[in-house]
Amino acid sequence: MLRHLLALALALAWNGPLGAQRPPGPDLDPARGFFAAGEVARISITLTETDRERLRTLPREYVPAVVRVDRQPEWARVGVKLKGAAGSFREIDDRPCFTVHLGKLGETHRFHGLQRFHLNNSVQDESCLCEWLGNEVFTAAGLPAPRVAHALVTLDGRSLGLYVLREGYDRQFLMRVFGNAAGNLYDGGFCQDIDSDLEKDSGDGNDDHSDLRRLRELCQGVANDRTARLEAAIDMPAFLDFMALEVMLCHWDGYTRNRNNFRLWCGSAPARAFFLPHGMDQLFEDADAPILDHPTSIVASACHQDAALRKRYRERLRALLPLFEPRRLSPKIEAIAGKLQKALRAIDDDAATRHADAVRELQERVAARYRNLQVQVKAPDPRPLQFSGQKPITLKTWHPGAETDHVVLAKKDFRGVATLQIACQKGPAEPREAAWRTHALLDRGRYRLSATTRCEGVSKPADGETDTGVRIAVDGGCSERLAGNQNWYPLVCEFEVSEFQRNVELELRLRACSGTAWFRTDSLQLVRLSD
């Protein structure tokens, strides 16, 4: 705790994230002044028609581009590729996100000292301020986050408008924040947890994923020495704050709540995991979002299952609450928004007006969230689902989640029966995947999830394909799978909660190249089995 308080004091003193033992000097971090100033850069990207066509077919591969920043001389042979996940990815002829790598093709160009940075189109955040605001809050708490600025972007002479310019997670970031690159920086990927072979972004550690396996093993089980084991595996003060900040910011699509949008640093010495935030473009969207629910992500769940760590987590919620006061955040938001609107008015009055409206809405969301947090930090812990003997409980609240394109989830009646539907649309001949999900906080025990299901035209599994079809699932375990045409059929999935409590994730899932599945809402039941 003392180490963490010292880091917090240091961060507040020099307005930079947790890093080496002292703040880097200008020679080590020339980008610091640029990000602190909050000025809007002007960036133009020019492609040949050949390279533009290549990005149409291979958008994730770098092509050479000519880049100019503000009134500086042009840089030739800059590596540029498209980026973005399901919600933000746009084709090259639309309004795409970019990764700009100034040294990818062997050149020595630098942008305020940075070799690599991202240009995000912010299609899910009209204010273009959520990423920046998330960075502000993490930094104020003494935790590292990628720094954020803004840019007006032009592609081949066509104005794309205002973009979020974000520092990359790379070797430069590791040196700035941790003072070394002795370890592995992992990309959380799309809805993956530490039980996956995460892609390595940077670092000099071994490439055998042994650090991930060690972390996963230490998070398993219910041993008496659980607290000590977790402390050995994770930088616990930082992780408790990381979890608290994600849920307080309503970062629903981050690691804690959705096993998504995160980076994981596994340093070689000490060999403790350090989580970093990512994809904070949808903050403060639900003023009532819970902060006390037990999460399902592996590391967060392990910590919440430990009574001592749960108590410390609740203490950190109260300690971090002042960071969300509107009187603290509003002046910062207004200052940066004024610069953005001035830049927008120079190119598009209507865009400036729309942006001003979006900023006002963000301010209102921040204020509403703070009022809600004041209540939640004092609330009692949530109670596990209560069963009356072996009487089943009907699960009524399900949330749709499409994991690929060309799939639709809807609540629909099927011949007078209320159902949750998943349907594949016409598109490429490749598997589509989606699920309806809900969560339940459960005591230790054995349980059964059931759902009456039907499907039409669900493609049969290809050779070697084992995960295609319609199924129900709980935390990795699943029922049998249906395919082809199947009239109403009862699917069941039995599972066990070995911890004293666990927030389990329950899914109604379809994975297929074609077809439709229906799940009767009155059949979606959970029952506690006799021990």
Side-chain angles (χ1 to χ4, degrees):
M1 181 62 72
L2 180 60
R3 178 200 64 78
H4 189 56
L5 290 175
L6 180 60
L8 176 58
L10 177 63
L12 293 174
W14 59 277
N15 195 32
L18 179 67
Q21 293 183 354
R22 59 186 178 87
D27 56 325
L28 298 178
D29 186 18
R32 191 159 126 213
F34 165 73
F35 285 110
E39 300 300 329
V40 181
R42 271 72 172 172
I43 298 178
S44 68
I45 300 172
T46 304
L47 300 166
T48 66
E49 185 52 44
T50 298
D51 291 321
R52 192 181 183 101
E53 180 60 32
R54 187 176 177 191
L55 287 177
R56 290 189 183 103
T57 56
L58 298 170
R60 308 291 185 172
E61 294 189 6
Y62 283 103
V63 301
V66 175
V67 173
R68 168 173 282 176
V69 179
D70 297 325
R71 297 182 179 179
Q72 300 298 318
E74 291 181 341
W75 293 326
R77 291 186 53 77
V78 170
V80 170
K81 67 177 181 179
L82 306 194
K83 67 178 291 288
S88 61
F89 181 82
R90 297 293 184 272
E91 302 288 347
I92 186 64
D93 297 309
D94 190 354
R95 189 168 175 264
C97 304
F98 298 97
T99 294
V100 180
H101 197 318
L102 301 175
K104 182 65 179 179
L105 303 178
E107 303 297 324
T108 59
H109 313 306
R110 293 294 183 272
F111 175 72
H112 296 283
L114 297 177
Q115 186 177 59
R116 186 168 71 110
F117 59 91
H118 305 291
L119 294 170
N120 294 336
N121 56 21
S122 200
V123 294
Q124 295 171 301
D125 170 26
E126 291 187 54
S127 74
C128 292
L129 289 176
C130 284
E131 285 270 12
W132 168 84
L133 187 54
N135 170 273
E136 286 290 306
V137 173
F138 266 85
T139 298
L143 295 183
R147 295 173 295 189
V148 175
H150 296 86
L152 295 175
V153 178
T154 301
L155 174 63
D156 294 332
R158 176 171 63 96
S159 175
L160 301 182
L162 184 64
Y163 272 60
V164 172
L165 188 157
R166 188 176 63 77
E167 178 181 24
Y169 275 124
D170 54 15
R171 191 179 191 86
Q172 282 185 289
F173 178 87
L174 293 176
M175 297 302 295
R176 177 177 73 81
V177 170
F178 299 107
N180 68 84
N184 293 316
L185 179 66
Y186 292 108
D187 181 344
F190 182 71
C191 292
Q192 296 184 109
D193 209 328
I194 61 169
D195 54 349
S196 301
D197 287 336
L198 302 181
E199 180 182 350
K200 179 176 173 179
D201 261 358
S202 189
D204 300 331
N206 294 329
D207 295 332
D208 57 4
H209 292 100
S210 58
D211 45 10
L212 289 180
R213 289 195 299 273
R214 174 180 177 272
L215 175 59
R216 184 168 66 249
E217 290 166 2
L218 290 173
C219 288
Q220 293 172 342
V222 289
N224 293 331
D225 62 343
R226 185 182 189 89
T227 305
R229 293 174 63 193
L230 291 172
E231 294 269 16
I234 308 158
D235 187 323
M236 191 57 69
F239 187 65
L240 293 175
D241 280 10
F242 172 86
M243 287 192 296
L245 293 176
E246 279 205 324
V247 298
M248 294 172 88
L249 285 163
C250 305
H251 185 25
W252 66 272
D253 201 22
Y255 177 74
T256 306
R257 290 291 180 225
N258 201 37
R259 296 167 295 186
N260 197 29
N261 282 323
F262 71 96
R263 295 295 187 270
L264 172 60
W265 169 243
C266 294
S268 298
R272 290 189 295 169
F274 199 108
F275 282 78
L276 299 154
H278 181 62
M280 295 186 289
D281 58 344
Q282 300 178 69
L283 305 184
F284 296 103
E285 291 192 345
D286 181 3
D288 301 326
I291 61 175
L292 299 178
D293 282 3
H294 286 235
T296 57
S297 52
I298 291 173
V299 182
S301 176
C303 293
H304 277 263
Q305 291 163 25
D306 183 280
L309 295 178
R310 173 83 175 175
K311 179 181 178 182
R312 287 168 57 185
Y313 168 78
R314 297 212 56 168
E315 291 170 351
R316 294 310 300 160
L317 289 173
R318 290 189 290 272
L320 294 167
L321 181 60
L323 298 181
F324 293 82
E325 290 183 5
R327 65 181 181 180
R328 178 191 182 98
L329 295 179
S330 290
K332 294 184 176 183
I333 294 173
E334 291 166 2
I336 193 69
K339 293 181 179 181
L340 300 186
Q341 286 160 26
K342 180 180 178 181
L344 280 170
R345 286 193 188 96
I347 62 169
D348 188 338
D349 281 339
D350 289 341
T353 300
R354 292 193 301 271
H355 181 261
D357 292 339
V359 172
R360 279 192 294 271
E361 181 186 346
L362 175 61
Q363 294 271 46
E364 293 169 359
R365 300 199 320 255
V366 169
R369 182 56 169 168
Y370 179 68
R371 291 192 297 270
N372 178 268
L373 289 175
Q374 288 177 299
V375 175
Q376 284 205 64
V377 296
K378 301 174 184 176
D381 272 350
R383 294 182 62 199
L385 202 58
Q386 301 297 302
F387 292 84
S388 177
Q390 289 188 277
K391 183 179 180 180
I393 293 176
T394 301
L395 303 172
K396 298 180 179 180
T397 304
W398 294 82
H399 304 284
E403 298 170 16
T404 62
D405 294 329
H406 306 292
V407 65
V408 175
L409 297 96
K411 297 179 180 180
K412 286 193 173 184
D413 281 358
F414 181 88
R415 298 175 184 172
V417 176
T419 71
L420 301 179
Q421 182 192 78
I422 308 177
C424 296
Q425 295 178 309
K426 291 183 178 180
E430 58 188 27
R432 329 286 164 70
E433 192 160 4
W436 289 90
R437 296 186 180 88
T438 192
H439 295 88
L441 182 61
L442 301 176
D443 282 321
R444 182 183 290 114
R446 294 173 54 244
Y447 299 86
R448 178 191 296 127
L449 172 67
S450 59
T452 302
T453 308
R454 76 183 309 277
C455 60
E456 289 182 1
V458 172
S459 55
K460 301 286 186 179
D463 291 341
E465 178 69 66
T466 61
D467 196 28
T468 300
V470 184
R471 61 186 172 94
I472 62 175
V474 180
D475 284 358
C478 68
S479 66
E480 62 181 301
R481 293 175 174 82
L482 304 181
N485 299 321
Q486 174 69 56
N487 205 354
W488 295 113
Y489 184 89
L491 292 176
V492 296
C493 177
E494 294 189 3
F495 62 98
E496 183 174 1
V497 174
S498 57
E499 304 86 353
F500 84 99
Q501 286 180 358
R502 178 153 57 88
N503 193 25
V504 299
E505 181 177 67
L506 306 103
E507 293 186 321
L508 317 172
R509 176 172 288 277
L510 170 66
R511 186 174 191 274
C513 293
S514 61
T516 303
W518 294 265
F519 303 86
R520 288 184 58 140
T521 57
D522 60 359
S523 73
L524 306 177
Q525 296 184 332
L526 186 64
V527 63
R528 181 167 185 168
L529 305 175
S530 58
D531 294 334

Coordinates of all heavy atoms in Angstrom, one line a residue, residues 12-74:
L12 N 0.6 12.6 -9.2 CA 0.0 13.9 -9.0 C 0.9 15.1 -9.1 O 0.6 16.2 -9.5 CB -0.8 13.9 -7.7 CG -2.0 12.9 -7.6 CD1 -2.6 12.9 -6.2 CD2 -3.1 13.3 -8.6
A13 N 2.1 14.8 -8.7 CA 3.1 15.9 -8.6 C 3.6 16.3 -10.0 O 3.7 17.5 -10.3 CB 4.3 15.5 -7.8
W14 N 3.8 15.3 -10.9 CA 4.4 15.6 -12.2 C 3.4 15.3 -13.4 O 3.8 15.4 -14.5 CB 5.7 15.0 -12.5 CG 5.8 13.5 -12.4 CD1 5.9 12.7 -11.3 CD2 5.7 12.6 -13.5 NE1 5.9 11.4 -11.7 CE2 5.8 11.3 -13.0 CE3 5.6 12.7 -14.9 CZ2 5.8 10.1 -13.8 CZ3 5.6 11.6 -15.7 CH2 5.7 10.3 -15.1
N15 N 2.1 14.9 -13.0 CA 1.1 14.7 -14.0 C 1.5 13.7 -15.1 O 1.3 13.9 -16.2 CB 0.7 16.1 -14.6 CG -0.6 15.9 -15.4 OD1 -1.5 15.1 -15.0 ND2 -0.8 16.7 -16.5
G16 N 2.1 12.7 -14.6 CA 2.5 11.6 -15.6 C 2.2 10.3 -14.9 O 2.0 10.2 -13.7
P17 N 2.0 9.2 -15.7 CA 1.7 7.9 -15.2 C 2.8 7.2 -14.4 O 4.0 7.6 -14.5 CB 1.2 7.1 -16.4 CG 1.9 7.7 -17.5 CD 2.0 9.2 -17.2
L18 N 2.4 6.2 -13.7 CA 3.4 5.4 -13.0 C 4.5 4.9 -13.9 O 4.2 4.3 -14.9 CB 2.7 4.2 -12.3 CG 3.5 3.3 -11.5 CD1 4.0 4.0 -10.2 CD2 2.6 2.1 -11.1
G19 N 5.7 5.1 -13.6 CA 6.8 4.6 -14.4 C 8.0 4.3 -13.7 O 8.0 3.6 -12.7
A20 N 9.2 4.7 -14.2 CA 10.4 4.5 -13.6 C 10.5 5.2 -12.3 O 9.5 5.9 -11.9 CB 11.6 4.9 -14.5
Q21 N 11.6 5.2 -11.6 CA 11.6 5.8 -10.2 C 11.6 7.3 -10.3 O 11.2 7.9 -9.3 CB 12.9 5.3 -9.5 CG 12.9 3.8 -9.2 CD 14.1 3.4 -8.5 OE1 15.0 4.2 -8.3 NE2 14.2 2.1 -8.1
R22 N 11.8 7.9 -11.4 CA 11.7 9.4 -11.5 C 11.1 9.7 -12.8 O 11.3 8.9 -13.8 CB 13.0 10.1 -11.3 CG 14.1 9.7 -12.3 CD 15.4 10.3 -11.9 NE 16.5 9.9 -12.8 CZ 16.8 10.5 -14.0 NH1 16.0 11.5 -14.3 NH2 17.7 10.0 -14.7
P23 N 10.4 10.8 -13.0 CA 9.9 11.2 -14.3 C 11.0 11.3 -15.4 O 12.1 11.8 -15.1 CB 9.2 12.6 -14.0 CG 9.1 12.6 -12.5 CD 10.2 11.8 -12.0
P24 N 10.7 10.8 -16.6 CA 11.6 11.0 -17.6 C 11.9 12.4 -18.0 O 10.9 13.2 -18.0 CB 11.0 10.2 -18.8 CG 9.6 10.2 -18.5 CD 9.4 10.2 -17.0
G25 N 13.1 12.7 -18.4 CA 13.4 14.1 -18.8 C 13.0 14.3 -20.2 O 12.6 13.4 -20.9
P26 N 13.0 15.5 -20.7 CA 12.6 15.8 -22.1 C 13.3 15.0 -23.1 O 12.7 14.7 -24.1 CB 12.9 17.3 -22.2 CG 12.9 17.8 -20.8 CD 13.4 16.7 -20.0
D27 N 14.6 14.7 -22.9 CA 15.3 13.9 -23.9 C 14.8 12.4 -24.0 O 14.9 11.8 -25.0 CB 16.8 13.9 -23.5 CG 17.1 13.4 -22.1 OD1 16.2 13.6 -21.2 OD2 18.1 12.7 -21.9
L28 N 14.2 11.9 -22.9 CA 13.7 10.6 -22.9 C 12.2 10.5 -23.3 O 11.8 9.5 -23.7 CB 13.9 9.9 -21.5 CG 15.3 9.8 -20.9 CD1 15.3 9.2 -19.5 CD2 16.1 8.9 -21.9
D29 N 11.5 11.6 -23.1 CA 10.1 11.6 -23.4 C 9.7 12.9 -24.1 O 9.0 13.7 -23.6 CB 9.3 11.4 -22.2 CG 7.8 11.3 -22.4 OD1 7.5 11.0 -23.6 OD2 7.0 11.4 -21.5
P30 N 10.2 13.1 -25.3 CA 9.8 14.4 -26.0 C 8.4 14.6 -26.3 O 7.9 15.7 -26.6 CB 10.7 14.3 -27.3 CG 11.0 12.9 -27.5 CD 11.0 12.3 -26.2
A31 N 7.6 13.5 -26.3 CA 6.2 13.6 -26.6 C 5.4 14.2 -25.4 O 4.2 14.5 -25.6 CB 5.6 12.2 -26.9
R32 N 6.0 14.2 -24.2 CA 5.3 14.7 -23.1 C 4.7 16.1 -23.3 O 3.5 16.3 -22.9 CB 6.2 14.7 -21.9 CG 5.5 14.9 -20.5 CD 6.4 14.3 -19.4 NE 6.7 15.3 -18.4 CZ 7.8 15.4 -17.7 NH1 8.8 14.6 -18.0 NH2 7.9 16.3 -16.8
G33 N 5.5 17.0 -23.8 CA 5.0 18.4 -24.0 C 3.9 18.4 -25.0 O 2.9 19.2 -24.8
F34 N 3.9 17.6 -26.0 CA 2.9 17.6 -27.1 C 1.6 17.2 -26.5 O 0.5 17.8 -26.7 CB 3.3 16.7 -28.2 CG 2.1 16.3 -29.1 CD1 1.6 17.3 -30.0 CD2 1.5 15.1 -29.1 CE1 0.5 17.0 -30.8 CE2 0.5 14.8 -29.9 CZ 0.0 15.7 -30.8
F35 N 1.6 16.1 -25.7 CA 0.3 15.6 -25.1 C -0.2 16.6 -24.1 O -1.4 16.7 -23.9 CB 0.5 14.2 -24.6 CG 0.6 13.1 -25.6 CD1 1.7 12.5 -25.8 CD2 -0.6 12.8 -26.3 CE1 1.8 11.5 -26.8 CE2 -0.5 11.8 -27.3 CZ 0.7 11.1 -27.5
A36 N 0.7 17.2 -23.3 CA 0.2 18.1 -22.3 C -0.4 19.4 -22.8 O -1.3 19.9 -22.3 CB 1.4 18.5 -21.4
A37 N 0.1 19.8 -24.0 CA -0.4 21.1 -24.6 C -1.9 20.9 -25.1 O -2.6 21.9 -25.1 CB 0.5 21.5 -25.7
G38 N -2.3 19.7 -25.5 CA -3.6 19.5 -26.0 C -3.9 20.2 -27.3 O -5.1 20.5 -27.6
E39 N -2.9 20.5 -28.1 CA -3.2 21.2 -29.4 C -3.7 20.1 -30.4 O -3.3 19.0 -30.3 CB -1.9 21.9 -29.9 CG -1.4 23.0 -29.0 CD -2.5 24.1 -28.8 OE1 -3.2 24.3 -29.7 OE2 -2.5 24.7 -27.7
V40 N -4.4 20.6 -31.4 CA -4.9 19.7 -32.5 C -3.9 19.7 -33.7 O -3.7 20.7 -34.3 CB -6.3 20.2 -33.0 CG1 -6.8 19.3 -34.0 CG2 -7.3 20.3 -31.8
A41 N -3.4 18.5 -33.9 CA -2.5 18.4 -35.1 C -3.2 18.3 -36.4 O -4.4 17.9 -36.4 CB -1.6 17.1 -34.9
R42 N -2.6 18.7 -37.5 CA -3.1 18.5 -38.8 C -2.3 17.4 -39.5 O -1.1 17.6 -39.7 CB -3.1 19.8 -39.6 CG -4.3 20.7 -39.5 CD -4.4 21.4 -38.2 NE -5.4 22.4 -38.1 CZ -5.8 23.0 -37.0 NH1 -5.2 22.8 -35.9 NH2 -6.8 23.9 -37.1
I43 N -2.9 16.3 -39.9 CA -2.2 15.2 -40.5 C -2.8 14.8 -41.8 O -4.0 14.6 -41.9 CB -2.2 14.0 -39.5 CG1 -1.5 14.3 -38.2 CG2 -1.5 12.8 -40.2 CD1 -1.5 13.2 -37.2
S44 N -1.9 14.8 -42.8 CA -2.4 14.4 -44.2 C -1.7 13.1 -44.5 O -0.5 12.9 -44.3 CB -2.1 15.4 -45.2 OG -0.8 15.6 -45.4
I45 N -2.4 12.1 -45.1 CA -1.9 10.8 -45.5 C -2.2 10.7 -47.0 O -3.3 10.9 -47.5 CB -2.6 9.7 -44.8 CG1 -2.3 9.8 -43.3 CG2 -2.1 8.3 -45.3 CD1 -3.1 8.8 -42.4
T46 N -1.2 10.4 -47.8 CA -1.3 10.2 -49.2 C -0.9 8.8 -49.6 O 0.2 8.4 -49.3 CB -0.5 11.3 -50.0 OG1 -0.9 12.6 -49.5 CG2 -0.8 11.2 -51.5
L47 N -1.7 8.1 -50.4 CA -1.4 6.8 -50.9 C -1.4 6.7 -52.4 O -2.1 7.5 -53.0 CB -2.5 5.8 -50.4 CG -2.7 5.7 -48.9 CD1 -4.0 4.9 -48.6 CD2 -1.5 4.9 -48.2
T48 N -0.6 5.8 -52.9 CA -0.8 5.6 -54.4 C -2.0 4.7 -54.6 O -2.5 4.1 -53.6 CB 0.5 4.8 -54.9 OG1 0.5 3.5 -54.3 CG2 1.8 5.5 -54.6
E49 N -2.5 4.7 -55.8 CA -3.7 3.9 -56.0 C -3.4 2.4 -55.8 O -4.3 1.6 -55.3 CB -4.2 4.1 -57.5 CG -5.5 3.4 -57.8 CD -6.6 3.7 -56.8 OE1 -6.8 4.8 -56.4 OE2 -7.3 2.7 -56.4
T50 N -2.2 2.0 -56.1 CA -1.8 0.6 -55.9 C -1.9 0.2 -54.4 O -2.5 -0.8 -54.0 CB -0.4 0.3 -56.4 OG1 -0.4 0.5 -57.8 CG2 0.0 -1.2 -56.1
D51 N -1.4 1.1 -53.5 CA -1.4 0.8 -52.1 C -2.8 1.0 -51.5 O -3.2 0.3 -50.5 CB -0.4 1.7 -51.4 CG 1.0 1.3 -51.7 OD1 1.3 0.1 -51.8 OD2 1.9 2.2 -51.9
R52 N -3.6 1.9 -52.1 CA -4.9 2.0 -51.6 C -5.7 0.8 -51.9 O -6.5 0.3 -51.1 CB -5.6 3.2 -52.3 CG -6.9 3.7 -51.7 CD -7.5 4.8 -52.5 NE -8.7 5.3 -51.9 CZ -8.9 6.3 -51.1 NH1 -7.8 7.0 -50.8 NH2 -10.0 6.7 -50.6
E53 N -5.5 0.2 -53.1 CA -6.2 -1.0 -53.5 C -5.7 -2.2 -52.5 O -6.5 -3.1 -52.2 CB -5.9 -1.4 -54.9 CG -6.5 -2.7 -55.4 CD -8.1 -2.7 -55.3 OE1 -8.7 -1.6 -55.4 OE2 -8.6 -3.7 -55.0
R54 N -4.5 -2.2 -52.2 CA -4.0 -3.2 -51.3 C -4.7 -3.1 -49.9 O -5.0 -4.2 -49.3 CB -2.5 -3.1 -51.1 CG -1.8 -4.3 -50.3 CD -0.4 -4.1 -50.3 NE 0.2 -5.2 -49.5 CZ 1.5 -5.3 -49.0 NH1 2.3 -4.3 -49.4 NH2 1.9 -6.3 -48.3
L55 N -4.9 -1.9 -49.4 CA -5.6 -1.8 -48.1 C -7.1 -2.2 -48.3 O -7.7 -2.5 -47.3 CB -5.5 -0.3 -47.6 CG -4.1 0.1 -47.1 CD1 -4.1 1.5 -46.7 CD2 -3.8 -0.8 -45.9
R56 N -7.6 -2.2 -49.5 CA -9.0 -2.7 -49.6 C -9.1 -4.2 -49.4 O -10.0 -4.7 -48.9 CB -9.5 -2.3 -51.0 CG -9.8 -0.9 -51.3 CD -10.5 -0.6 -52.6 NE -10.7 0.8 -52.9 CZ -9.9 1.5 -53.7 NH1 -8.9 0.9 -54.4 NH2 -10.1 2.8 -53.9
T57 N -8.0 -4.9 -49.8 CA -8.0 -6.3 -49.7 C -7.3 -6.9 -48.5 O -7.6 -7.9 -48.0 CB -7.4 -6.9 -51.0 OG1 -6.1 -6.4 -51.2 CG2 -8.2 -6.6 -52.2
L58 N -6.2 -6.2 -48.1 CA -5.4 -6.6 -46.9 C -5.3 -5.4 -46.0 O -4.2 -4.8 -45.8 CB -4.0 -7.1 -47.4 CG -4.0 -8.3 -48.3 CD1 -2.6 -8.5 -48.9 CD2 -4.5 -9.5 -47.6
P59 N -6.4 -5.0 -45.3 CA -6.4 -3.8 -44.5 C -5.4 -3.8 -43.3 O -5.0 -2.8 -42.8 CB -7.8 -3.6 -44.1 CG -8.4 -5.0 -44.1 CD -7.7 -5.7 -45.3
R60 N -5.1 -5.0 -42.8 CA -4.3 -5.1 -41.6 C -2.8 -5.2 -41.9 O -2.0 -5.4 -41.0 CB -4.7 -6.3 -40.8 CG -6.2 -6.4 -40.5 CD -6.7 -5.4 -39.5 NE -8.1 -5.6 -39.2 CZ -8.7 -4.9 -38.3 NH1 -8.1 -3.9 -37.6 NH2 -10.0 -5.2 -38.0
E61 N -2.4 -5.0 -43.2 CA -1.0 -5.1 -43.5 C -0.5 -3.7 -43.9 O -1.2 -2.9 -44.6 CB -0.8 -6.0 -44.7 CG -1.0 -7.5 -44.3 CD -0.6 -8.4 -45.4 OE1 0.0 -8.0 -46.4 OE2 -0.9 -9.6 -45.3
Y62 N 0.7 -3.3 -43.5 CA 1.3 -2.0 -43.7 C 1.5 -1.8 -45.2 O 2.0 -2.7 -45.9 CB 2.6 -1.8 -43.0 CG 2.4 -1.6 -41.5 CD1 2.6 -2.6 -40.5 CD2 2.1 -0.3 -41.0 CE1 2.5 -2.3 -39.2 CE2 1.9 0.0 -39.7 CZ 2.2 -1.1 -38.7 OH 2.0 -0.8 -37.4
V63 N 1.3 -0.5 -45.6 CA 1.7 -0.1 -47.0 C 2.4 1.2 -46.8 O 2.2 1.9 -45.8 CB 0.4 0.1 -47.9 CG1 -0.4 -1.2 -48.0 CG2 -0.4 1.2 -47.4
P64 N 3.3 1.6 -47.8 CA 4.0 2.9 -47.7 C 3.0 4.0 -48.0 O 2.2 4.0 -48.9 CB 5.1 2.8 -48.7 CG 4.5 1.8 -49.7 CD 3.7 0.8 -48.9
A65 N 3.2 5.1 -47.2 CA 2.4 6.3 -47.4 C 3.3 7.5 -47.3 O 4.3 7.5 -46.7 CB 1.2 6.4 -46.5
V66 N 2.8 8.7 -47.8 CA 3.5 10.0 -47.6 C 2.6 10.7 -46.5 O 1.4 10.8 -46.7 CB 3.5 10.8 -48.9 CG1 4.1 12.2 -48.6 CG2 4.4 10.1 -49.9
V67 N 3.3 11.1 -45.5 CA 2.6 11.7 -44.3 C 3.1 13.1 -44.1 O 4.4 13.3 -44.1 CB 2.7 10.8 -43.1 CG1 2.1 11.5 -41.9 CG2 2.0 9.5 -43.3
R68 N 2.3 14.1 -43.9 CA 2.7 15.4 -43.4 C 2.0 15.8 -42.2 O 0.7 15.6 -42.1 CB 2.4 16.4 -44.5 CG 2.6 17.9 -44.0 CD 2.5 18.9 -45.2 NE 3.7 18.9 -45.9 CZ 3.8 19.7 -47.0 NH1 2.8 20.4 -47.5 NH2 5.0 19.7 -47.7
V69 N 2.7 16.3 -41.2 CA 2.1 16.8 -39.9 C 2.3 18.3 -39.8 O 3.4 18.8 -39.9 CB 2.8 16.1 -38.7 CG1 2.2 16.6 -37.4 CG2 2.6 14.6 -38.8
D70 N 1.2 19.0 -39.7 CA 1.2 20.4 -39.6 C 1.9 21.0 -40.9 O 1.6 20.6 -42.0 CB 1.7 20.9 -38.3 CG 0.9 20.5 -37.1 OD1 -0.4 20.4 -37.3 OD2 1.4 20.1 -36.1
R71 N 2.8 21.9 -40.6 CA 3.5 22.5 -41.8 C 4.9 21.9 -41.9 O 5.8 22.5 -42.6 CB 3.6 24.0 -41.6 CG 2.2 24.6 -41.6 CD 2.2 26.1 -41.5 NE 0.9 26.7 -41.6 CZ 0.7 28.0 -41.5 NH1 1.7 28.9 -41.3 NH2 -0.6 28.5 -41.5
Q72 N 5.2 20.8 -41.3 CA 6.5 20.1 -41.4 C 6.7 19.5 -42.8 O 5.7 19.3 -43.5 CB 6.6 19.0 -40.4 CG 6.5 19.5 -39.0 CD 7.6 20.6 -38.6 OE1 8.7 20.4 -38.9 NE2 7.1 21.6 -37.9
P73 N 7.9 19.3 -43.2 CA 8.2 18.6 -44.5 C 7.5 17.2 -44.5 O 7.3 16.6 -43.5 CB 9.7 18.5 -44.6 CG 10.2 19.6 -43.6 CD 9.2 19.7 -42.6
E74 N 7.2 16.8 -45.7 CA 6.6 15.5 -45.9 C 7.5 14.4 -45.5 O 8.7 14.5 -45.7 CB 6.1 15.3 -47.3 CG 5.0 16.1 -47.8 CD 4.6 15.9 -49.2 OE1 5.4 15.3 -49.9 OE2 3.4 16.2 -49.6

